[in-house]
Amino acid sequence: MQRDIVQRPGDPAGRADARPVAHTSLPGNLLAPSAARRFVRAALREWTGLGLPAAVGFSERVAEDAEVVVSELVTNAVVHAGTNVEVLARLEEAAEDEVAALVLEVSDHHPARAVRSDRPESGSAADAAEGTSLVGPDEPAEYGRGLQLVGTLAERWGITYRTGLKTVWARLPVDDWNPFPEPAAEPGFQQGLRAAELLAPTARRALRDDADWAGRGALSFLAEASDLLAGQLDEDIVAALSGQLLVPRLADWCAIWLEPENGGPSAVPRLASIWHRDEAETGQLRTLLEQGPIRLPERVGTGPVSMPWPGGEEGAKADEPAASALAYRITSGGRTLGAVLLGREGLARVPDEVTALIEDFVRRVGLAVGAAREYTRQATISRILQRALLPGKVAEIPGVTSSLVYEPSDDGVVGGDFYDIFPCPGDRWCFVLGDVQGSGPEAAVVTGLARPWLRLLAREGFGVGEVLDRLNRLLLDDAMEAAEAAALMVAAAGGQQTPDTGQSRFLSLLYGELVPLPGGGVRCTLASAGHPLPLLLRPDGEVRPAAEPQMLLGIFDDVAYESQSFELAPGDSLLCVTDGVTERRCGPLMFDDEDGLSRALAGCTGLSADGIADRIKRAVHEFAERPPDDDLALLVLQAG
């Protein structure tokens, strides 16, 4: 296990002024939490041995709390993100207004996956930034209450979003701090998360200087905001990040309302996010703002609108001479998406440079919310299409145990992989694993044609090779009709015919049929058309290809497809995959380089069909740190 203790240049090892930072990288599997606990314990022991001033406050309770916190954070990352995990421990010396503290950071490489609180109640991503529940209604309750423990044991904790990276951090004081002084008015989970900061778990925030916003500060702020907001695919996360960016840089508090996407004039905006520089006042501000949503007149553009202070002037600090509240309309593509309300204490009038900067920022919020909604619509349509194009259930084959894994890529569009297992006359069972060129609507069209055509041809009694012959011609005929129709449309519109009006619709396909044998096992006949070859695993660990490579479907019309037959004896297993498995990448390497899939399958000797499927799936996920960027489908057929 790698552990890196960072020191300042020129400092000999063991000097007390060494900068104590320890870092390690762990695989995204169930062994990671225990390894993280050992790593943290070793780091604390090493810092104590160095005689660092901050390490004087270490106690057994601090070590135990740190082990619990890092274990919960790593478990959360492994279960919900599924990527490699980076663990960092940093010791902060005592400062003028801060006690010495141990900061723990756990990063995963799937920032699109929301952090889960493991609570049974539902919640939104915006609630994450406000200290409420982060778990969806489908989240199983048996995962425990990990983040509640983190929020209780830590002085504060939070979430950092960066491009391609999500970091959850927690800060634990190392002096004689008691995390359980008395029963709190609200759960520790909420107390901790309300203190979340956006960019780093720094203990001290910079003082606001409005003069800086007239120059380089404004450009840096807008660039940072654009980078963070543009990568978010959930409008509630956009709202939460927006509040964290505004407060305390440009405002003392802010609230963001979002209009319902399909609502009419009578639709009520929802309060998506509240952020206050003083955590103790967040609850009171929410109570005041929940009395009614903000509504700006239609004639108001995107500029600032003066608003009354929530709750009246008594809502401002008594010792402050004045307070200002401004509202901005959130728009995108000419549509109103919501509103931002923010307040500044101690100012009768917010400087023009600041109001103009906030207006530019709110424009970026509008673009981010609009993009997130477009992604959500696309993802919803994709899920509906995916459910319609794939079978509701697969047939059970007598004498054969099957296990299917299907994971569409998390890009919000319908994928090109499809599968099917269905019975046919003559005591036959057919299975299909296919991959259409491309993705999105074009792939959905081919999938919608290929799967019913396959069922029809198989049930008409055609052999495996004949089914592929006829499917190939059907795809070519359909592509030709589409090209002719496009040419007629172009001609009718008075346009010029382009050389590439029609697009070939081709796919790779593995198709086979199984016939049970009287003495046990099944007779398997299959053919592979441009598809990754199926692999046969014998009980003695031997692995060999079970088909010969042939041409993709939908390219040439003079191809004659041939099939191969063999006996799948009791204990034999047949593994069929799509290229989302074989072409899974880690830098320049692919999973199936140097027969990587065969070697992984050989290690599955003696496992059940479910065990083989799970082992191969985990091997594919663990091959690279980032989540798969292609559909992943695999089918295991095991003779009983």
Side-chain angles (χ1 to χ4, degrees):
M1 178 173 62
Q2 175 192 4
R3 185 171 75 252
D4 181 22
I5 302 297
V6 180
Q7 296 178 316
R8 294 188 181 93
D11 286 342
R15 280 192 39 184
D17 57 351
R19 181 165 58 90
V21 177
H23 170 265
T24 188
S25 179
L26 302 174
N29 58 38
L30 296 181
L31 298 177
S34 61
R37 291 193 295 270
R38 294 193 301 270
F39 161 73
V40 168
R41 175 73 71 165
L44 297 184
R45 187 164 52 245
E46 188 163 353
W47 291 338
T48 301
L50 290 173
L52 301 178
V56 175
F58 285 170
S59 64
E60 186 62 25
R61 186 182 64 200
V62 170
E64 291 175 354
D65 289 352
E67 286 186 78
V68 170
V69 168
V70 77
S71 180
E72 295 298 339
L73 295 183
V74 169
T75 299
N76 214 350
V78 169
V79 171
H80 297 297
T83 70
N84 283 10
V85 178
E86 309 295 328
V87 180
L88 182 143
R90 183 175 72 253
L91 190 59
E92 292 185 349
E93 302 288 348
E96 183 177 320
D97 56 347
E98 294 282 350
V99 299
L102 172 66
V103 176
L104 301 172
E105 300 182 12
V106 175
S107 303
D108 64 68
H109 298 271
H110 204 319
R113 297 282 175 88
V115 177
R116 305 285 187 177
S117 73
D118 305 320
R119 300 177 65 185
E121 301 84 9
S122 64
S124 68
D127 296 331
E130 299 162 25
T132 55
S133 172
L134 292 180
V135 69
D138 298 329
E139 188 73 14
E142 58 265 26
Y143 278 119
R145 298 176 178 271
L147 293 187
Q148 295 184 61
L149 287 174
V150 174
T152 301
L153 295 174
E155 178 193 41
R156 61 177 178 267
W157 71 280
I159 308 165
T160 300
Y161 290 93
R162 296 183 178 91
T163 303
L165 200 70
K166 176 173 80 270
T167 300
V168 185
W169 56 267
R171 188 177 192 274
L172 288 76
V174 297
D175 64 350
D176 191 19
W177 178 66
N178 179 13
F180 308 104
E182 60 184 21
E186 58 181 344
F189 170 76
Q190 298 184 15
Q191 290 179 333
L193 191 54
R194 283 193 299 108
E197 296 173 20
L198 177 64
L199 297 179
T202 177
R204 293 163 289 277
R205 292 181 182 243
L207 296 176
R208 181 189 303 141
D209 186 356
D210 288 336
D212 287 345
W213 299 120
R216 184 177 303 173
L219 297 177
S220 301
F221 171 73
L222 292 175
E224 172 194 347
S226 297
D227 183 54
L228 286 168
L229 297 178
Q232 305 307 322
L233 302 177
D234 185 296
E235 64 180 64
D236 288 323
I237 294 181
V238 171
L241 292 178
S242 301
Q244 296 177 72
L245 284 164
L246 284 172
V247 178
R249 289 175 172 90
L250 300 174
D252 295 306
W253 56 263
C254 80
I256 297 176
W257 283 265
L258 294 177
E259 299 277 353
E261 185 171 5
N262 298 318
S266 60
V268 179
R270 64 183 179 89
L271 187 56
S273 176
I274 294 180
W275 203 261
H276 201 294
R277 69 171 185 176
D278 186 346
E279 301 163 20
E281 296 190 15
T282 302
Q284 180 182 359
L285 178 62
R286 174 180 287 278
T287 301
L288 293 172
L289 296 178
E290 284 179 342
Q291 296 176 4
I294 181 174
R295 291 186 179 275
L296 297 178
E298 290 297 328
R299 65 179 182 277
V300 174
T302 59
V305 178
S306 296
M307 302 291 289
W309 193 268
E313 285 300 326
E314 63 273 11
K317 298 284 186 183
D319 57 347
E320 296 286 357
S324 301
L326 299 175
Y328 293 81
R329 186 189 301 277
I330 302 175
T331 63
S332 178
R335 296 183 55 193
T336 297
L337 303 181
V340 176
L341 178 66
L342 55 89
R344 290 280 298 264
E345 298 169 355
L347 286 178
R349 181 177 177 275
V350 179
D352 292 341
E353 296 83 357
V354 176
T355 60
L357 176 60
I358 297 174
E359 184 177 351
D360 285 342
F361 171 76
V362 173
R363 288 195 187 97
R364 287 160 172 76
V365 174
L367 293 174
V369 171
R373 290 190 171 184
E374 183 63 31
Y375 172 84
T376 301
R377 286 192 293 270
Q378 179 175 289
T380 301
I381 294 171
S382 179
R383 285 192 295 270
I384 294 172
L385 280 174
Q386 206 86 59
R387 287 195 297 267
L389 295 173
L390 297 176
K393 60 180 298 185
V394 295
E396 295 183 1
I397 306 172
V400 175
T401 304
S402 63
S403 182
L404 177 71
V405 173
Y406 178 72
E407 294 181 352
S409 62
D410 191 20
D411 58 4
V413 298
V414 65
D417 289 9
F418 67 96
Y419 59 85
D420 204 356
I421 301 177
F422 55 92
C424 285
D427 199 25
R428 297 178 299 134
W429 276 262
C430 298
F431 62 93
V432 178
L433 198 60
D435 185 3
V436 180
Q437 175 220 13
S439 60
E442 295 82 3
V445 169
V446 179
T447 303
L449 294 172
R451 196 169 70 86
W453 279 345
L454 275 167
R455 285 197 170 209
L456 179 62
L457 292 169
R459 287 170 177 168
E460 286 295 318
F462 293 107
V464 171
E466 293 177 302
V467 167
L468 295 189
D469 288 341
R470 284 163 171 77
L471 180 60
N472 183 51
R473 287 196 292 270
L474 286 169
L475 288 170
L476 288 168
D477 291 344
D478 186 75
M480 184 62 68
E481 291 174 3
E484 292 174 353
L488 290 174
M489 292 176 62
V490 171
Q496 297 294 322
Q497 176 69 39
T498 60
D500 191 23
T501 302
Q503 180 180 3
S504 297
R505 299 179 175 185
F506 54 86
L507 73 152
S508 70
L509 190 75
L510 177 67
Y511 170 65
E513 63 178 34
L514 302 173
V515 179
L517 297 175
V522 294
R523 184 72 175 171
C524 179
T525 303
L526 52 74
S528 175
H531 203 78
L533 298 181
L535 298 178
L536 179 61
L537 172 65
R538 300 291 190 186
D540 61 0
E542 177 193 359
V543 176
R544 66 173 179 85
E548 296 294 332
Q550 300 182 77
M551 182 63 64
L552 285 164
L553 294 167
I555 297 181
F556 301 112
D557 60 359
D558 58 350
V559 180
Y561 291 93
E562 298 179 354
S563 61
Q564 291 81 42
S565 296
F566 57 92
E567 183 177 333
L568 201 61
D572 289 348
S573 301
L574 184 68
L575 172 64
C576 313
V577 302
T578 59
D579 62 7
V581 173
T582 56
E583 297 180 6
R584 166 84 156 122
R585 286 192 170 274
C586 179
L589 303 177
M590 291 194 297
F591 182 75
D592 199 32
D593 285 348
E594 300 181 355
D595 296 324
L597 181 59
S598 296
R599 287 187 283 105
L601 182 59
C604 299
T605 304
L607 297 180
S608 65
D610 287 337
I612 294 174
D614 183 67
R615 174 88 49 99
I616 298 299
K617 182 188 73 171
R618 284 193 288 113
V620 172
H621 277 276
E622 293 170 3
F623 183 69
E625 292 185 354
R626 294 184 178 276
D629 56 4
D630 192 8
D631 298 342
L632 187 154
L634 64 91
L635 172 66
V636 178
L637 300 171
Q638 188 175 74

